[in-house]
Amino acid sequence: MLMTPGPTAVPEPVREAMSRELINPDVDPRFRELYGRLTERLATAYGVDPDDDGVADGSDDAARDVVALGGEGILGLEAAVASLVEPGTEVLCLSNGLYGEGFADFVESYGGDPTLVAAEHDEPLPLDALDDALAADDADFDLATMVHCETPTGTLNDIGSALDRLEAADSEILTVVDAVSSLGAVPVPTDRIDVCLGASQKCFSAPPGLATAAVSDRAWAAMDERDPHSLYANFLPFRDVSDGFPYTHLTTEVVALDAALGLLLDEGLDAVRKRHEAAAARCRERGAELGLETVPGPERSSPTVTAFEVPGRASEIQERLREDHDVILATGLGEGAGDVLRVGHMGHNARVDRVEETMDALAAVL
């Protein structure tokens, strides 16, 4: 049983959809219809009303175009930077984890000038340090990046407070948020974010292969001004696909994500979120019974993933769970890889019965 925080288990109706006859995306008009339905469903998941020209709350400020690029979720992070950063672009990278820090690496690789405002991986976002960076005499940021759910530590970040500070300091700063591991299971303030990133293989429970984004008008304008040099790591070619796609799209992955979103929306976003909360609560309750502590503490842990502290034992426990119980969990990433064991109660796997089976196996191993 796959209980990792992405890729997640793919439900049978999605697998069945993938097995149907292939649609050629370059010549078959049915593919454009399929892609259009996919982006409408994505808009609903993002909280943008597809029936109101992409406007979620009746204001132009909330308008977003939703796109789906062919590539694993990390493509979205790089494409956001590649589309908005050029030599000399000043970028504030707010971080308390591996992916937050990774934004700074992308910025450097595209010639930008990153300012990393970082906390330790088990700490909250450094909001006081953010205030200091924004108030500095030489502060002149074009862009700010942050991560909603830092999957390696199971941390759900308070991005609302960070956005408040950015808007108060300089409303012209564009914002990029990695919501890859929260979108579809946790409310995301998409209407306050210029580029909000998602992916197929996390809470949507489709296979890895599509990077998604909701993009504001002012972000599109900034991309037009910068004229990105990459074709693949570039959102602009997907802004208008009425005359075709920039490359042969990943047809089967589009079919899969469309089917997965259909299941999610049939269930209802509120019901899906409650299901994630219930699964997370039970996972942590069972963990506490086993004497396990979570990395960031329960008040900052994400409904999509629980990271348990198992100093020095993560790989051993992971192997025994896989070999003896056919349960697959993930270890940590980066420096703490050997000290963290992660349970992904995310997407299709956010179900109490699956959590119970997983924790029964973990109890037997421990």
Side-chain angles (χ1 to χ4, degrees), residues 282-294:
R282 185 55 181 154
C283 183
R284 288 156 201 163
E285 183 179 26
R286 290 289 307 272
E289 292 171 357
L290 296 173
L292 298 174
E293 295 184 357
T294 58

Side-chain angles (χ1 to χ4, degrees), residues 13-349:
V14 177
R15 299 196 303 271
E16 290 177 352
M18 295 171 66
S19 70
R20 296 170 192 154
E21 183 180 6
L22 182 72
I23 301 173
N24 187 317
D26 299 319
V27 300
D28 193 328
R30 291 179 299 170
F31 182 79
R32 190 168 300 160
E33 296 174 2
L34 171 64
Y35 182 81
R37 185 175 67 197
L38 170 67
T39 55
E40 287 184 357
R41 286 175 166 175
L42 276 170
T44 303
Y46 269 105
V48 179
D49 185 356
D51 294 326
D52 192 22
D53 297 325
V55 179
D57 64 359
S59 70
D60 292 339
D61 291 341
R64 297 291 184 274
D65 291 322
V66 179
V67 297
L69 280 65
E72 194 271 337
I74 202 69
L75 171 64
L77 279 66
E78 181 169 359
V81 173
S83 299
L84 290 168
V85 171
E86 61 187 357
T89 302
E90 296 281 345
V91 184
L92 189 156
C93 300
L94 185 64
S95 171
N96 62 343
L98 185 69
Y99 289 102
E101 293 168 1
F103 269 123
D105 295 333
F106 278 133
V107 170
E108 281 190 347
S109 70
Y110 283 92
D113 185 7
T115 296
L116 183 62
V117 179
E120 296 297 325
H121 291 192
D122 59 349
E123 295 293 327
L125 286 176
L127 297 178
D128 290 341
L130 171 61
D131 288 336
D132 293 341
L134 292 169
D137 291 339
D138 59 348
D140 187 23
F141 298 110
D142 304 292
L143 183 68
T145 67
M146 67 192 79
V147 176
H148 193 198
C149 174
E150 273 285 1
T151 327
T153 57
T155 300
L156 188 70
N157 283 320
D158 179 13
I159 61 170
S161 293
L163 293 169
D164 288 342
R165 287 162 163 79
L166 288 163
E167 291 165 2
D170 184 351
S171 62
E172 297 302 312
I173 297 175
L174 294 171
T175 53
V176 175
V177 172
D178 169 1
V180 168
S181 296
S182 57
L183 183 68
V186 181
V188 180
T190 310
D191 61 325
R192 302 179 63 194
I193 300 166
D194 290 294
V195 181
C196 186
L197 301 166
S200 56
Q201 78 269 26
K202 299 284 188 174
C203 305
F204 297 144
S205 286
L210 295 179
T212 70
V215 184
S216 71
D217 287 343
R218 66 179 195 153
W220 287 126
M223 293 176 198
D224 281 328
E225 291 177 2
R226 283 161 176 74
D227 189 22
H229 297 295
S230 172
L231 169 66
Y232 207 75
N234 186 353
F235 287 119
L236 274 176
F238 279 85
R239 186 178 188 181
D240 181 1
V241 294
S242 58
D243 292 328
F245 294 86
Y247 47 77
T248 299
H249 216 318
L250 280 63
T251 313
T252 303
E253 282 70 17
V254 171
V255 168
L257 182 54
D258 177 66
L261 286 167
L263 294 177
L264 182 147
L265 297 178
D266 284 347
E267 183 178 354
L269 286 173
D270 287 343
V272 170
R273 291 165 182 166
K274 290 177 181 177
R275 177 162 56 77
H276 279 79
E277 291 169 359
R282 185 55 181 154
C283 183
R284 288 156 201 163
E285 183 179 26
R286 290 289 307 272
E289 292 171 357
L290 296 173
L292 298 174
E293 295 184 357
T294 58
V295 175
E299 72 283 352
R300 291 191 292 110
S301 292
S302 173
T304 59
V305 53
T306 295
F308 289 120
E309 294 184 12
V310 289
R313 297 192 62 195
S315 295
E316 167 214 341
I317 295 171
Q318 180 191 48
E319 183 177 356
R320 289 185 59 191
L321 284 168
R322 182 179 65 248
E323 293 185 352
D324 298 345
H325 299 275
D326 195 26
V327 172
I328 301 176
L329 302 186
T331 61
L333 298 174
E335 294 181 359
D339 301 322
V340 174
L341 189 70
R342 296 182 294 152
V343 180
H345 35 76
M346 174 186 290
H348 181 64
N349 281 340

